[in-house]
Amino acid sequence: MLSVALTACKKQEEPARAPVAKQAPAPAAEPGQADEQPKPPVKQELPPLFRDIERRTFQFFWDTSNEVNGLTPDRYPSRPFASIASVGYALTAYPIGIENGWVSRTQAVDRTLTTLKFFRQLPQGPQREGKGGYHGFYYHFLDMRDGHRYDSWVELSSIDTALLMMGVLFAQSYYDRDDPREKEIRELAEQLYRRVEWPWLQVNKPLISMGWFPESGFIPHDWMGYNEAMLLYILAMGSPTYPVSPDAWQVWTRTYNDFWGVYQGQEYLTFGPHFGHQYSHVWIDFRGIQDDYMRERGIDYFENSRRATYAQRNYAIENPMKWKDYGENIWGLTASDGPQQTLQDYEGEQRTFRHYSARGAGFRENFDDGTIAPTAAIASLPFAPEIVIPATEEMHNRFGEYLYSSYGFLDSFNRSFDYDIPLKTGRLVPDNGWVSSDYIGIDQGPILAMITNYRNEFVWNVMKENPHIRRGLERAGFKGGWLTPPGEPVELSPADPDAAAARALGTAESRGTSSPPPRPQPQN
């Protein structure tokens, strides 16, 4: 499972798609116009269920990570290999555990030191076997015991290295005491971040490639469009040793316009699978800070994710594919487990189902096979608590008997899938469809961190103290909000139609000379 766009680079399949959504609003809106946009979120008291979710989700990281080397499994209980992205979320989870009294600071320091020391000493090099990384990047999946590349289909991953580094820098900023071991954590974190050679993956400058294989070289797809790679570019620009130039952000955002429009009554920058609207927000507080693109539109990326969350819910209410139980409190499409790669008859027509895959609804990258992932809703809590809280409670109340267990919500479920065929993963529950049998680290991490951010902004506030994150944001052109120098007024810039028109012209001209490559589908 690739944590995002590229999981295991096996053979690529032609994605089966949900009906392509037209760039038009939901029926309630006038043609070509968005519904009235949701008002800013209002803080609500969380019901007791959320405290239980937090504790159980934290225990996933604490219990399943290898105590000897700090590696965290990609999934559990079927834990064949470690995911470096899961390690990034685990490093973020440990301080949350400290703050809630679930582990002592000493325990968390021990585990964090073990993890960082292990990554520092992992052998790196161009060889196909026996190495954990190359040029400061790490392989997406590692052997849980020795940390070497797990198999020949595993890529050296730019985005998963970035997710790992977010956890590394979070640890650097959190463990700030004048203590020899906490000082060592800070030093190790600095070493790991400084040795990532981000420009090495700029095959088509200034964009960054998705990764590299020792067998075939660089992956021919760059990070383009709008997705979770915001955090990748911010980290790459913030590097004190191997930075990419600021024009990387300008070229990256130049591909946005294909994804801006009105969908399900919301006007926003779209990306179908909801993880693209969540991952960067786990560590970075985008409220009130804007780059050039968002300044032109008079909103910020946080508001964009809020609108995307409402669009997800609106899609489930409309339920164009007539899946069972979709509705105002049962929604959430993202990258998740599914029952099986198969073609089955559903309500008189052939439907494609998948096992692990990106699922979503938007202008592009649409795929919906009836599989709901609780993380898509729960990790959107800061964006839209008024719709996330009731969705979380209803999924727990209605399906918790078989969906909610030792480490919180299992990865996903599909109420419409009841076919008597061999399953890739999970099980069929009589009269209740399919339910996943695994927890997945990159889905667990956002649940824990975003509930924490909603409660007290803990992860966000810690990361605001990290100079590398601030440097990356500033080089990308972010201003306002918490980036505003002391004494200057803090305010969001209104939309700039003239700048937007100029950008649209430049984008149109750039399309005349190049076209973006297709984005690989996640596979497992």
Side-chain angles (χ1 to χ4, degrees):
M1 169 199 65
L2 240 190
S3 39
V4 283
L6 185 69
T7 47
C9 284
K10 302 177 181 176
K11 65 178 181 178
Q12 298 298 324
E13 64 185 50
E14 181 65 25
R17 296 182 179 272
V20 176
K22 297 180 180 179
Q23 295 191 23
E30 292 297 322
Q33 298 295 319
D35 289 339
E36 181 179 353
Q37 299 299 340
K39 296 179 181 178
V42 176
K43 191 71 174 287
Q44 301 181 30
E45 183 176 352
L46 289 176
L49 171 62
F50 281 81
R51 179 59 70 188
D52 191 63
I53 295 171
E54 285 176 283
R55 178 61 189 267
R56 290 172 186 255
T57 308
F58 166 79
Q59 288 299 143
F60 165 83
F61 291 102
W62 191 255
D63 293 349
T64 67
S65 295
N66 188 335
E67 294 181 357
V68 176
N69 56 28
L71 291 178
T72 304
D74 172 63
R75 54 176 60 230
Y76 182 88
S78 60
R79 48 185 291 171
F81 40 73
S83 156
I84 60 172
S86 291
V87 175
Y89 282 116
L91 291 170
T92 306
Y94 303 151
I96 295 174
I98 295 172
E99 295 298 311
N100 284 281
W102 300 328
V103 293
S104 70
R105 194 173 182 101
T106 298
Q107 290 173 304
V109 166
D110 287 343
R111 179 72 66 85
T112 302
L113 271 176
T114 295
T115 307
L116 300 184
K117 287 179 179 178
F118 186 77
F119 274 90
R120 182 186 61 180
Q121 60 84 30
L122 263 182
Q124 296 219 349
Q127 294 80 7
R128 299 181 181 189
E129 298 177 353
K131 304 296 180 183
Y134 190 38
H135 286 279
F137 294 92
Y138 291 92
Y139 285 101
H140 186 173
F141 297 128
L142 305 176
D143 186 284
M144 281 289 294
R145 298 161 299 176
D146 59 24
H148 295 170
R149 183 190 188 197
Y150 182 71
D151 207 336
S152 60
W153 48 264
V154 177
E155 85 286 9
L156 194 78
S157 172
S158 56
I159 189 63
D160 292 280
T161 297
L163 288 163
L164 169 64
M165 287 301 147
M166 279 295 195
V168 167
L169 294 183
F170 180 78
Q172 181 184 52
S173 291
Y174 177 77
Y175 298 103
D176 58 357
R177 293 184 179 178
D178 187 16
D179 172 87
R181 296 197 309 150
E182 295 201 13
K183 181 180 179 182
E184 186 176 8
I185 286 175
R186 297 193 293 272
E187 292 172 347
L188 287 167
E190 189 73 12
Q191 292 171 20
L192 292 173
Y193 177 58
R194 281 175 172 263
R195 74 178 186 179
V196 181
E197 299 178 31
W198 307 100
W200 178 67
L201 283 181
Q202 287 187 294
V203 183
N204 302 307
K205 290 184 178 181
L207 297 174
I208 298 175
S209 168
M210 290 185 173
W212 177 85
F213 286 91
E215 295 84 359
S216 57
F218 295 103
I219 295 173
H221 303 292
D222 298 320
W223 285 104
M224 301 174 67
Y226 165 71
N227 48 51
E228 72 281 9
M230 281 202 302
L231 64 84
L232 165 65
Y233 281 101
I234 289 167
L235 284 170
M237 286 186 291
S239 173
T241 48
Y242 300 103
V244 302
S245 60
D247 65 334
W249 189 266
Q250 301 305 318
V251 174
W252 149 263
T253 58
R254 196 176 297 158
T255 62
Y256 277 7
N257 282 351
D258 286 342
F259 301 90
W260 178 275
V262 178
Y263 178 73
Q264 286 295 335
Q266 302 297 318
E267 184 178 13
Y268 68 110
L269 191 56
T270 68
F271 180 73
H274 216 48
F275 67 80
H277 297 284
Q278 295 172 334
Y279 281 6
S280 298
H281 296 257
V282 165
W283 292 279
I284 300 175
D285 183 2
F286 284 99
R287 296 173 302 172
I289 65 173
Q290 297 170 311
D291 62 356
D292 289 342
Y293 188 90
M294 285 301 177
R295 268 191 294 274
E296 292 169 6
R297 283 151 182 80
I299 66 170
D300 54 36
Y301 285 100
F302 182 90
E303 170 63 19
N304 196 77
S305 289
R306 176 168 171 77
R307 295 179 183 185
T309 302
Y310 266 84
Q312 274 255 356
R313 178 173 176 261
N314 292 347
Y315 172 82
I317 292 171
E318 181 184 340
N319 192 12
M321 301 185 74
K322 309 304 179 186
W323 297 117
K324 187 175 181 181
D325 283 343
Y326 274 31
E328 64 176 354
N329 290 329
I330 305 296
W331 51 271
L333 303 177
T334 190
S336 70
D337 264 350
Q340 180 56 286
Q341 185 74 33
T342 182
L343 191 67
Q344 298 291 333
D345 182 81
Y346 182 82
E347 293 198 348
E349 68 178 34
Q350 292 288 291
R351 296 283 181 89
T352 296
F353 295 87
R354 293 182 186 168
H355 37 86
Y356 187 84
S357 180
R359 295 170 170 84
F363 298 164
R364 298 184 178 185
E365 314 218 12
N366 301 289
F367 179 74
D368 177 16
D369 64 356
T371 302
I372 296 291
T375 186
I378 304 171
S380 297
L381 178 64
F383 307 136
E386 66 280 1
I387 63 175
V388 169
I389 293 172
T392 305
E393 290 190 300
E394 183 155 340
M395 283 189 284
H396 179 266
N397 291 339
R398 292 180 59 183
F399 314 131
E401 181 179 356
Y402 54 85
L403 183 63
Y404 193 78
S405 191
S406 302
Y407 299 126
F409 282 98
L410 289 161
D411 191 61
S412 51
F413 64 100
N414 189 321
R415 297 273 290 153
S416 303
F417 191 97
D418 57 2
Y419 305 98
D420 186 17
I421 63 171
L423 300 173
K424 173 73 174 182
T425 184
R427 69 191 192 280
L428 292 181
V429 179
D431 302 320
N432 285 289
W434 174 88
V435 63
S436 173
S437 55
D438 273 342
Y439 300 93
I440 296 179
I442 59 170
D443 288 343
Q444 292 285 86
I447 289 176
L448 176 62
M450 292 299 260
I451 295 177
T452 299
N453 280 331
Y454 180 75
R455 286 193 186 278
N456 56 22
E457 306 176 7
F458 171 64
V459 179
W460 290 338
N461 287 339
V462 169
M463 285 300 262
K464 289 174 184 176
E465 301 301 317
N466 192 281
H468 303 308
I469 296 299
R470 177 179 286 269
R471 185 187 309 114
L473 287 167
E474 290 174 344
R475 287 178 175 173
F478 281 89
K479 299 176 183 177
W482 57 273
L483 290 174
T484 303
E488 294 187 11
V490 178
E491 59 182 20
L492 277 175
S493 300
D496 185 342
D498 293 335
R503 175 185 284 270
L505 177 61
T507 302
E509 291 172 346
S510 69
R511 287 189 195 128
T513 58
S514 65
S515 59
R519 179 187 173 105
Q521 286 291 314
Q523 313 230 344
N524 192 30

